[in-house]
Amino acid sequence: MQPNFLIRRAVQLGLTANALRPLRARSTTIPAFFAGWLTGELAPQFLALTVADSLAHVARHGTGDRSTKAGLAMAAASAAGLATLIRTGHGAREEIEKALTSALGEDYASELGRSDLGLPWSELALPFRMGAPDVHVDRNIAYAPGGKRFLLDVYRPSAPVSGAPVLLQVHGGAWVIGNKEEQGRPLMRYLARRGWVCVAINYPLSPAHRWPAHIVAAKQALAWIRSSIASYGGDPRFVAVTGGSAGGHLSALLALSQNDPALQPSFEDVDTSVQACVPHYGVYDFAATSGSQASKYRLESLIARRVFAPDRDPVRHLDDYIAASPLDRISSEAPPFFVIHGRDDSLVPVREAREFVRRLREKSRQPVAYAELAGAQHAFDVFTSVRSAHVVRGVARFLDFTYHAWKAENR
C-alpha cells in the first residue's frame, strides 16, 4: 500500500473538480476561490506534476497494489480535468476577440497593424517572474503627502519615449489589503514593451482610512499624472484606467465620476477625466441597489462595517453608498469601456458584471466591450497563464484602438 500517493492524487482530483465546478456555498467562498483560481490558471503545471508524480511512483513501486491502481485512476481523472481547464483557458482568445469585434467592428484590427496573438512561452514557464530587461520601473514616487499608501511606480520602455499613452493601474484587495506590486504587472509589462507608460498606485486602506479616502487618492494620482507624467515620457492628455476587484470598482468609479468636486477636495479644478476604462472582475453594485443578495451581503458584512465610517449606516445614508457605486453613476458621458469577468467568479458573481454592462450599453455613447470568460475565477490575471496572456493581448488591442481613435479626434 502507498497511501501518500493515493492522498496526493485524491487532493489533486478534488482541486481539479473544484476548478471545473466551484463550490457555491457561502461558507466555502474563500477556499473555493483560492483553490479554483490557482488550479485553473496553473493547470499546465499541475498536469505536468500529476504525470511526473504518477510515472515516478509506478517506476518505484509498480502497479500491483490496489492503492496504486486507485491513485492512477484518480491521476487519469485529474489529467482529463486539467486538460479541459487548459482548453478553456485557450478559449479566452476567441472570447476576447468576439467581445472586441462586437464593440469595435469586424475590421477594428486593421487600424492597429500587426497584432501579437502568440503565447509567451518563456513567461508561461515561469509565471511568477515579473521583471523584464526591456522595461524600466521608477519605484515609490510620492503623488501626494501621506507616506507609503500615497506612492506609485512608473513602468516605461527602457528606451526613452515621448508623448506615450498612459495606463493607470489600481490594485484590488477588498479596499482593506493589497499594494501596487501585486496586480496588473503582466499587462503593464506588455504595454510598456509596446511603448506605453504605466502607473501603478497604492491608496489608503480601510479600516484605518474610511471612504471616500480610496477614490480621492486615486484622483490625486490622476492629478499627479496630469502634472508630472510628461517627465517620464507619457502624454497627460490620454489616460486609461484599469484594475481588478476593488481596483475594478475604483477604476470604474474613476471613469464615471470625472471632475466630481465632491471627490476632489482642494483640487477641484484638476481634470480627472479618463479616456478609457478596463475593469477586471470589478465590484459594480456597491450600494446593492440591484436587489442582488450577494451584493447585499457584501454591503452589510464588509462595506458598511469596514470601508465606510461606522456612523454611515447604509439605510439612513444610502445616498452616500449610491454615490460610490459605478452601477448607479452610469451616464452618457462614460468613456469607452472593456469589462472583463470570469463566469466562475466565486467572490463577485458574474451577473453583477452583466447588469453593469447592460446599463452601460443603454446610456453610453462610447463603445462598451464585454468578455465573459468561461472557467475563469476571480484574479485570473495576477500572474501569467494561458488565459491571462490572451486577456493581456486583447486589452492591449482595445487600448491601442481607443488611443488611435482619440488621436484622430484630437489632431
Side-chain angles (χ1 to χ4, degrees):
M1 297 286 285
Q2 297 296 329
N4 289 338
F5 176 69
L6 185 63
I7 291 171
R8 290 196 301 274
R9 295 303 101 229
V11 169
Q12 180 61 72
L13 181 58
L15 292 172
T16 303
N18 174 71
L20 290 167
R21 291 185 177 275
L23 298 171
R24 296 298 183 187
R26 185 168 289 164
S27 60
T28 63
T29 295
I30 300 299
F33 151 61
F34 273 109
W37 163 52
L38 291 172
T39 305
E41 300 310 314
L42 294 173
Q45 289 85 349
F46 278 113
L47 177 58
L49 287 173
T50 296
V51 172
D53 185 37
S54 299
L55 291 176
H57 179 83
V58 170
R60 288 194 301 266
H61 303 286
T63 61
D65 62 72
R66 286 186 296 177
S67 176
T68 292
K69 291 178 180 178
L72 291 174
M74 292 180 182
S78 293
L82 291 166
T84 298
L85 291 170
I86 294 169
R87 287 195 300 271
T88 304
H90 272 297
R93 175 173 171 172
E94 182 178 345
E95 292 161 337
I96 291 288
E97 189 62 18
K98 182 178 179 181
L100 293 176
T101 55
S102 176
L104 306 179
E106 293 288 339
D107 61 344
Y108 84 94
S110 63
E111 307 270 339
L112 308 179
R114 182 177 175 84
S115 294
D116 173 20
L117 300 179
L119 288 173
W121 295 108
S122 62
E123 294 174 16
L124 289 170
L126 298 169
F128 300 105
R129 187 181 65 183
M130 297 298 176
D134 50 352
V135 175
H136 180 80
V137 185
D138 301 280
R139 299 191 184 279
N140 296 324
I141 302 165
Y143 65 85
K148 66 180 181 179
R149 295 312 310 176
F150 294 87
L151 300 178
L152 58 80
D153 297 338
V154 177
Y155 293 71
R156 54 194 173 103
S158 295
V161 294
S162 176
V166 180
L167 178 75
L168 171 59
Q169 155 68 30
V170 187
H171 72 77
W175 307 274
V176 299
I177 59 173
N179 67 67
K180 56 186 169 56
E181 297 183 352
E182 292 177 353
Q183 287 182 296
R185 294 176 72 184
L187 175 60
M188 291 189 291
R189 176 178 58 192
Y190 184 76
L191 286 176
R193 286 171 168 165
R194 295 172 62 85
W196 283 65
V197 173
C198 304
V199 177
I201 65 169
N202 281 340
Y203 54 86
L205 299 175
S206 296
H209 301 271
R210 299 292 180 150
W211 189 267
H214 320 67
I215 189 64
V216 171
K219 286 179 175 283
Q220 287 176 305
L222 186 52
W224 180 91
I225 290 172
R226 294 276 189 247
S227 66
S228 303
I229 202 63
S231 299
Y232 299 86
D235 184 346
R237 299 174 300 161
F238 185 93
V239 182
V241 62
T242 188
S245 195
H249 162 257
L250 291 169
S251 61
L253 185 61
L254 196 64
L256 297 170
S257 64
Q258 53 186 343
N259 303 319
D260 182 347
L263 301 177
Q264 298 177 214
S266 77
F267 60 108
E268 295 88 350
D269 59 338
V270 175
D271 177 14
T272 59
S273 64
V274 297
Q275 284 58 63
C277 184
V278 187
H280 295 59
Y281 43 91
V283 174
Y284 308 112
D285 188 15
F286 198 75
T289 56
S290 71
S292 163
Q293 289 301 307
S295 299
K296 183 179 179 182
Y297 177 78
R298 181 179 59 228
L299 172 65
E300 294 174 348
S301 63
L302 172 61
I303 295 172
R305 289 186 179 185
R306 303 201 67 190
V307 180
F308 270 71
D311 63 343
R312 310 311 284 177
D313 176 79
V315 175
R316 291 183 292 113
H317 300 279
L318 181 60
D319 287 347
D320 292 345
Y321 291 80
I322 288 176
S325 179
L327 190 69
D328 299 294
R329 297 207 55 153
I330 296 170
S331 75
S332 61
E333 301 303 312
F337 264 81
F338 186 9
V339 179
I340 307 172
H341 214 94
R343 193 172 299 161
D344 286 345
D345 195 316
S346 295
L347 301 185
V348 182
V350 67
R351 59 181 175 271
E352 189 166 326
R354 293 172 183 165
E355 178 63 12
F356 180 63
V357 169
R358 185 188 70 79
R359 296 192 193 185
L360 261 179
R361 287 175 170 167
E362 282 184 351
K363 294 187 176 182
S364 177
R365 297 193 296 251
Q366 298 292 338
V368 179
Y370 175 55
E372 185 172 301
L373 306 180
Q377 257 289 359
H378 206 70
F380 56 79
D381 65 329
V382 170
F383 53 84
T384 302
S385 68
V386 171
R387 177 181 288 109
S388 71
H390 289 313
V391 170
V392 161
R393 282 147 182 77
V395 170
R397 296 199 297 281
F398 173 82
L399 291 175
D400 283 342
F401 179 91
T402 304
Y403 177 55
H404 287 305
W406 176 87
K407 281 201 302 184
E409 292 178 2
N410 291 273
R411 285 174 180 167

